[in-house]
Amino acid sequence: MCFFLYTFLQYCSHYLSHKVRFFWCLHEVHHSALHMNTSTGVRNSIFDVISTDALYLLIPLFGVEPVVFVITYSLLKIWGTFIHINEDLVSKIPLVNWIMIDPSAHHVHHARNPEYIDKNYGEFMNVYDKLFGTFVAEEAKPVYGSIGHEPKGFWDVQLYAFRKLFAEMRAAKTIREKILLALMPPEWSTNRNAKFLR
């Protein structure tokens, strides 16, 4: 039960990290890597204590013992780090990729190619991606990094998305627009003519 609760809540948490701009400002640090390797798996915001991972706190409400959760979480995070491995070492894993996220599927998730944006949220299972229509198999070679952001050092990586958000919030005309900028997807804008993706 813990395994299925965890993998579903991981999908939901990751989805929210892409669809709520405030959370994207935290998660963009992970996506700013220009090359794929296992260190990308642990590349996170220093402010991540307020991330969507708080959803995992729901698991004990279903009666799962904390030690069971810690073991499940730890084992699945090992896989979560592995799927960031460089594509020259491991990419598609035949048969495994029918039900699991293999490195190829996760490399797609990190790509800024238009056809790969907001795809493959799963960390271990691809079942939820297939169920909710967010799964795509790798075809074109992934191009890594965030759209419009070339990292220029540690603090730039950590603060870039927040600076961009706060600048747009300052320019917004109403309180409603300011709040929506933080809560809507990253590509949402108060400027109806804006043409950009994150």
Side-chain angles (χ1 to χ4, degrees):
M1 184 172 82
C2 184
F3 172 83
F4 288 108
L5 283 170
Y6 174 84
T7 54
F8 177 69
L9 289 173
Q10 180 278 320
Y11 176 91
C12 295
S13 169
H14 201 171
Y15 181 88
L16 289 173
S17 292
H18 282 253
K19 295 300 185 179
V20 175
R21 185 158 180 193
F22 177 80
F23 295 131
W24 171 252
C25 290
L26 299 167
H27 191 56
E28 193 266 346
V29 173
H30 183 65
H31 279 263
S32 66
L34 299 176
H35 305 283
M36 191 57 55
N37 56 53
T38 48
S39 70
T40 306
V42 293
R43 181 187 180 112
N44 293 308
S45 171
I46 58 174
F47 308 110
D48 237 359
V49 291
I50 48 175
S51 76
T52 56
D53 285 353
L55 285 176
Y56 299 138
L57 297 176
L58 296 172
I59 293 176
L61 298 178
F62 289 90
V64 174
E65 292 291 329
V67 70
V68 173
F69 170 74
V70 169
I71 291 168
T72 303
Y73 178 87
S74 300
L75 291 173
L76 294 181
K77 282 299 175 189
I78 291 169
W79 185 261
T81 302
F82 166 72
I83 59 176
H84 292 88
I85 196 166
N86 186 287
E87 66 267 24
D88 293 335
L89 298 175
V90 180
S91 189
K92 292 184 181 180
I93 304 175
L95 301 180
V96 167
N97 63 13
W98 286 357
I99 58 167
M100 289 174 62
I101 294 290
D102 65 357
S104 171
H106 198 67
H107 295 159
V108 161
H109 174 74
H110 273 265
R112 58 183 166 187
N113 310 44
E115 66 271 28
Y116 295 155
I117 298 290
D118 290 340
K119 300 296 183 187
N120 300 358
Y121 294 111
E123 178 182 64
F124 189 78
M125 307 281 290
N126 65 27
V127 174
Y128 304 114
D129 283 299
K130 289 180 175 179
L131 184 65
F132 297 117
T134 55
F135 181 80
V136 65
E138 180 182 349
E139 291 183 16
K141 182 173 176 55
V143 178
Y144 303 115
S146 298
I147 294 172
H149 179 210
E150 296 298 323
K152 298 175 183 71
F154 177 80
W155 288 110
D156 175 65
V157 168
Q158 294 293 326
L159 300 175
Y160 169 80
F162 279 113
R163 285 182 180 141
K164 189 173 172 187
L165 170 62
F166 294 151
E168 288 181 43
M169 289 175 79
R170 277 193 302 277
K173 294 180 174 63
T174 67
I175 296 289
R176 180 180 180 275
E177 286 181 346
K178 292 177 192 299
I179 292 169
L180 285 175
L181 278 163
L183 298 180
M184 294 298 283
E187 60 272 16
W188 187 85
S189 174
T190 56
N191 176 0
R192 299 197 190 284
N193 297 319
K195 293 181 180 175
F196 66 90
L197 283 170
R198 57 185 152 68

